[in-house]
Amino acid sequence: MGTLERTRCRLKAHPLALDAALAAGVLACMVAGSFVDPHGRNGVTWGVRTPDLLSLVLMTLGALALVFRRRAPRTVLALTGTVSLIECVADDPRAPVAMSAVIALYTVASTTDRPTTWRLGLLTMTVLTGAAMLGGPLPWYAQENLAIFAWTGIGATAGDAVRSRRAVVQAIRERAERAERTREEEARRRVAEERLRIARDLHDVVAHHIALVNVQAGVAAHVMDKRPDQAKEALAHVREASRSALNELRATVGLLRQSGDPEAPTEPAPGLARLDELVGTFRSAGLHVEVARADHGTTLPAAVDLAAYRVIQEALTNVQKHAGIEAKAEVSVVRVGPDIEVTVLDNGIAEGAAPDDGSDEGGGHGLLGMRERVTALRGTLTTGPRYGGGFRVHAILPVRTRSGASEDAV
C-alpha cells in the first residue's frame, strides 16, 4: 500500500478531522480572497484591501459550520447560506463567504437523493443570487452576482455526480458480492449432490456384495463338517463377491481423484448389459430369480442405464436379506412408449425383518437411494407390499432425459 493510499485510509477513519482540515482550508481561501479588490478607479484593476470585522466574523462562522457538514448537512447548508446572504446584502466590496455555502450544498447533494438536491440547489441559487442582485450594493449584472449563481450550480451538480458515482460503484460491488455468493452456493450445492451420489453408489455396492458374502458365509459354516465340497464352493462365491465389491469400491472412490491423477478408473459404469451377470451372483447365492426383458434394441442414456441397474440390484439385495430362504424373485424390464419400466417382485414371507425402506427403525437407505436416483431423472418409483405376501418395486424411467438431470445422476 502506497503513502497516498495509507493517507486516504487514515482520513476516512477520522472524518471529523478531515472536515476540520477542509474548514481551515476554506477559511484560508476566503480570507485570502477578501484582500483582493477587483474594482479599481480605472476599471477592472486588482488591489489589496483590508476586510472589515463583519466579513471576518461571517467567514469564520461559515468555516466553523463546515466542520459538522457530515453530521448535519442540511443544517450546515442553512447556516452557511444565511451568513452568505448577509454578506451579499451588507458588504461592499464583498468577501467570498458564499464559498462555504457552495461546499455545504455540495455535501447535501452528495449525501441525499436527486429530488432533494434539485429542491435545495434551486432554493440556494435563487435566494443568494436574487438577494445579491436585488439587495446588494452592486448592479444586478455584476460579475460577482453571476459568479454566485454559477458556483452554487456547480456545487450542486458536482455533489449529485459524486453521489451517482458512489451509487454505481456500490451497485457494482453488490453485484460482484452477490455473484460470489451465488458461485459459492452453487459450489456447495454441487458438492452436496456429489456426496449424495457417491453415498448412493457406495450403499448399493456394499449392500449388494456384503449381503451375498453373508449368505455364502452362512452356507459355508452350515455345511463345513458334513459337505466340505459345498462349503468350498460357498467360500469361492464369498471370494468372488468380495473381489467384485473391492473392484466397484475402487472405481467409485477413484471418482474422487483429480483428472491428472494416475490410475484413474476407466471401466464404464454398470448398466442393463450386465444384468445377467448381476442375476447370476444372486442365483449363486441360492436366490431363485427369473428375468423377462422386452427392451431389446433400446439404447439408454448412461444415467438411465445405471439407475435401472442399481434399482434391480438394490431390490434383489433386499429380497436376499428380508424375503426368506424360500423366496423367489421376478425381474422385468419393458420399454413402454418413451419410458423404460423396471419391476422387481418377490413372494417373500410377511413376517420378519422389514424391507430396507430408509426409515429410522430399519436404519437403511436402500429405497431412499433408489427414489433419489429415479427422481433425479424425472422418473417415478413405487414400492410396497404385494397382496398375499411379498414386495414390489416398480420404477418408470424416461428414455430421454435432460442433460442436466443426466449429469447429476451419473
Side-chain angles (χ1 to χ4, degrees):
M1 183 182 296
T3 304
L4 180 60
E5 190 66 24
R6 286 196 299 269
T7 303
R8 290 182 58 185
C9 293
R10 291 174 182 174
L11 291 177
K12 288 182 179 180
H14 302 86
L16 188 61
L18 177 61
D19 290 339
L22 175 64
V26 172
L27 178 61
C29 292
M30 289 190 296
V31 172
S34 65
F35 281 93
V36 178
D37 182 10
H39 303 285
R41 294 180 178 179
N42 299 323
V44 181
T45 60
W46 294 87
V48 178
R49 65 184 176 86
T50 303
D52 54 21
L53 180 61
L54 178 60
S55 295
L56 291 175
V57 172
L58 294 177
M59 287 186 290
T60 303
L61 291 176
L64 288 176
L66 293 179
V67 177
F68 308 97
R69 67 187 186 96
R70 298 177 192 264
R71 297 185 178 181
R74 300 189 187 188
T75 303
V76 171
L77 176 61
L79 181 58
T80 55
T82 300
V83 297
S84 300
L85 181 62
I86 295 174
E87 177 67 15
C88 289
V89 175
D91 280 351
D92 182 30
R94 188 182 303 157
V97 182
M99 184 183 296
S100 60
V102 172
I103 301 298
L105 182 57
Y106 164 84
T107 304
V108 171
S110 63
T111 55
T112 58
D113 53 10
R114 181 162 294 172
T116 303
T117 300
W118 275 95
R119 290 195 300 267
L120 296 181
L122 290 175
L123 179 62
T124 303
M125 292 170 60
T126 302
V127 171
L128 293 183
T129 305
M133 288 182 174
L134 300 178
L138 298 177
W140 68 270
Y141 52 85
Q143 62 180 0
E144 286 86 347
N145 299 336
L146 299 179
I148 292 176
F149 178 83
W151 280 107
T152 50
I154 291 173
T157 304
D160 184 71
V162 169
R163 180 196 56 77
S164 299
R165 180 181 178 277
R166 288 174 182 171
V168 170
V169 172
Q170 182 64 24
I172 294 175
R173 185 180 293 111
E174 290 177 354
R175 283 198 298 268
E177 293 175 353
R178 186 165 54 251
E180 184 66 23
R181 288 195 301 269
T182 302
R183 284 193 295 269
E184 293 176 355
E185 293 173 357
E186 179 66 16
R188 286 195 295 268
R189 184 187 67 81
R190 290 183 177 273
V191 168
E193 291 179 352
E194 184 66 12
R195 289 176 59 187
L196 182 60
R197 186 191 64 80
I198 293 175
R200 286 198 302 262
D201 286 343
L202 289 175
H203 175 273
D204 293 341
V205 171
V206 172
H208 166 60
H209 291 289
I210 296 303
L212 296 181
V213 168
N214 181 60
V215 172
Q216 295 293 346
V219 172
H222 181 69
V223 300
M224 179 66 72
D225 296 331
K226 297 181 180 180
R227 286 176 288 179
D229 294 338
Q230 188 175 353
K232 290 181 180 180
E233 183 180 354
L235 292 177
H237 289 306
V238 168
R239 183 175 60 184
E240 183 64 27
S242 61
R243 183 186 297 113
S244 299
L246 289 175
N247 291 336
E248 292 201 33
L249 284 174
R250 186 180 297 110
T252 302
V253 176
L255 295 176
L256 300 177
R257 293 178 179 270
Q258 299 294 331
S259 59
D261 290 346
E263 299 181 1
T266 57
E267 182 180 357
L272 292 180
R274 296 174 55 182
L275 180 58
D276 293 337
E277 178 184 347
L278 174 66
V279 172
T281 60
F282 285 100
R283 287 172 177 167
S284 63
L287 179 64
H288 182 76
V289 183
E290 295 181 359
V291 179
R293 298 189 62 173
D295 63 327
H296 300 291
T298 301
T299 301
L300 298 178
V304 177
D305 202 19
L306 175 61
Y309 179 88
R310 293 302 189 193
V311 167
I312 297 173
Q313 182 185 51
E314 181 59 31
L316 292 178
T317 300
N318 284 340
V319 174
Q320 182 76 47
K321 292 166 58 178
H322 304 297
I325 59 175
E326 301 296 334
K328 296 181 181 180
E330 299 177 4
V331 177
S332 66
V333 181
V334 182
R335 172 70 183 268
V336 180
D339 302 323
I340 191 83
E341 296 190 9
V342 176
T343 306
V344 179
L345 307 174
D346 70 80
N347 60 348
I349 57 176
E351 58 271 15
D356 186 8
D357 57 357
S359 63
D360 293 337
E361 294 179 0
H365 302 277
L367 295 187
L368 178 61
M370 282 193 287
R371 193 175 306 279
E372 290 173 349
R373 284 184 182 277
V374 174
T375 304
L377 298 173
R378 302 183 182 274
T380 58
L381 177 74
T382 56
T383 60
R386 298 173 61 194
Y387 179 77
F391 202 78
R392 178 178 181 269
V393 175
H394 180 67
I396 301 177
L397 297 169
V399 174
R400 295 183 180 179
T401 62
R402 295 183 181 180
S403 59
S406 299
E407 292 174 0
D408 291 341
V410 170

